[in-house]
Amino acid sequence: MRAMKTVLKIAAAVVSLTLIVILGREVPALLPPFTRWVASLGAWGPLAFIAGYSIAPVIFAPAFLLTIAAGAIFGFVKGVIYVMIGATIGASFGFMMPISTAPNAMAYATKAVSIRQMATVGIVFDIVGLVAVVLALRILCPLFGLC
């Protein structure tokens, strides 16, 4: 019975990974419609772009294409800022997952830490990281004459 559960878990992981890779390969074809849609949103465009950029690493989509699109849609300075915010949030999503890093997987395997505890700490670190990025931008942009 235990061996069957292990086999089912491995099969589920392989199927999930396969679906994510397939979806990630299809994303580049969706880039032109996505950029047109973001550009048509006006003031909501940056928020939609940041949300899309945040999800890209989680589904193995090539984020570098979105980085180029950011410059085309928003211009160099704003594009860089939106990409930085999206990349930070995307990395946070990745590190919030309990099995995304080897130390997290080992801590979770010991059953000493629950997923809820890991997610709570992950969210706190995400918020701290977001505040740090915003503060860094508020300080560095004027310092270098970018904003």
Side-chain angles (χ1 to χ4, degrees):
M1 186 66 160
R2 187 176 179 126
M4 183 62 138
K5 283 185 178 181
T6 303
V7 169
L8 287 175
K9 286 181 183 179
I10 291 171
V14 168
V15 168
S16 298
L17 184 61
T18 303
L19 289 173
I20 288 171
V21 169
I22 290 170
L23 179 62
R25 288 185 176 181
E26 297 298 320
V27 169
L30 301 173
L31 186 63
F34 176 74
T35 56
R36 283 192 299 273
W37 177 68
V38 167
S40 72
L41 291 177
W44 290 99
L47 188 60
F49 178 83
I50 290 169
Y53 200 99
S54 300
I55 295 168
V58 178
I59 62 170
F60 298 129
F64 76 92
L65 296 173
L66 287 172
T67 303
I68 295 167
I73 298 170
F74 305 111
F76 178 74
V77 174
K78 288 182 181 178
V80 167
I81 291 169
Y82 300 150
V83 164
M84 287 176 56
I85 294 170
T88 301
I89 294 170
S92 297
F93 285 162
F95 282 107
M96 270 183 9
M97 294 181 196
I99 58 168
S100 64
T101 64
N104 286 355
M106 288 188 291
Y108 180 68
T110 65
K111 305 289 186 205
V113 181
S114 70
I115 291 176
R116 183 183 186 124
Q117 291 171 316
M118 293 176 82
T120 302
V121 172
I123 290 170
V124 169
F125 276 109
D126 291 347
I127 292 169
V128 169
L130 182 62
V131 169
V133 167
V134 169
L135 288 175
L137 287 174
R138 299 285 278 166
I139 293 168
L140 295 176
C141 279
L143 186 66
F144 293 110
L146 297 174
C147 301

